[in-house]
Amino acid sequence: MAEEEPRQAPDIGAGGVGSSLDERLKAARSAEIARTSRAPAAPSPGYKQGTRVLTELIAGPAGGAIIGWVLQLWLGHAPWLLLGMMALGVVVAFRNIIRISNERPE
């Protein structure tokens, strides 16, 4: 008859079997994350210069086109202000690219 008597359930709360298991799982997860994760590498100086050149190639003509479009709407000179300001943006972009290419990478 001793086997039919109800047993006391293990204490899963604070300080019980479950809490030590949770602590071990958290420690194992954090150790695995620390082992497998790597800090991102810093970009090389050439990569930084390439990004600056790409930004100039996009922003120069686009900025000139936007300014030319706004001026064309305001003053009413159909495509000429848009085309002229976009050409000016291209010239400024190439001038800045030449400046960037003459710099030494950090």
Side-chain angles (χ1 to χ4, degrees):
M1 290 268 170
E3 290 183 61
E4 294 178 11
E5 294 178 11
R7 297 184 186 150
Q8 183 178 4
D11 184 18
I12 299 179
V17 175
S19 65
S20 65
L21 179 61
D22 288 338
E23 291 169 4
R24 290 189 314 199
L25 282 173
K26 286 179 186 177
R29 284 185 184 126
S30 64
E32 181 66 18
I33 289 172
R35 185 182 68 84
T36 59
S37 66
R38 293 187 180 121
S44 67
Y47 183 81
K48 290 179 182 179
Q49 277 188 338
T51 304
R52 286 178 59 194
V53 167
L54 181 63
T55 302
E56 289 293 336
L57 279 176
I58 294 171
I66 290 171
I67 292 171
W69 180 67
V70 169
L71 287 175
Q72 145 187 320
L73 289 177
W74 186 47
L75 298 174
H77 298 285
W80 299 112
L81 282 174
L82 172 68
L83 293 174
M85 293 301 284
M86 192 163 68
L88 183 65
V90 169
V91 169
V92 169
F94 279 121
R95 182 190 64 130
N96 289 341
I97 289 170
I98 290 170
R99 280 183 168 177
I100 291 170
S101 66
N102 288 333
E103 292 176 1
R104 282 183 121 349
E106 291 106 28

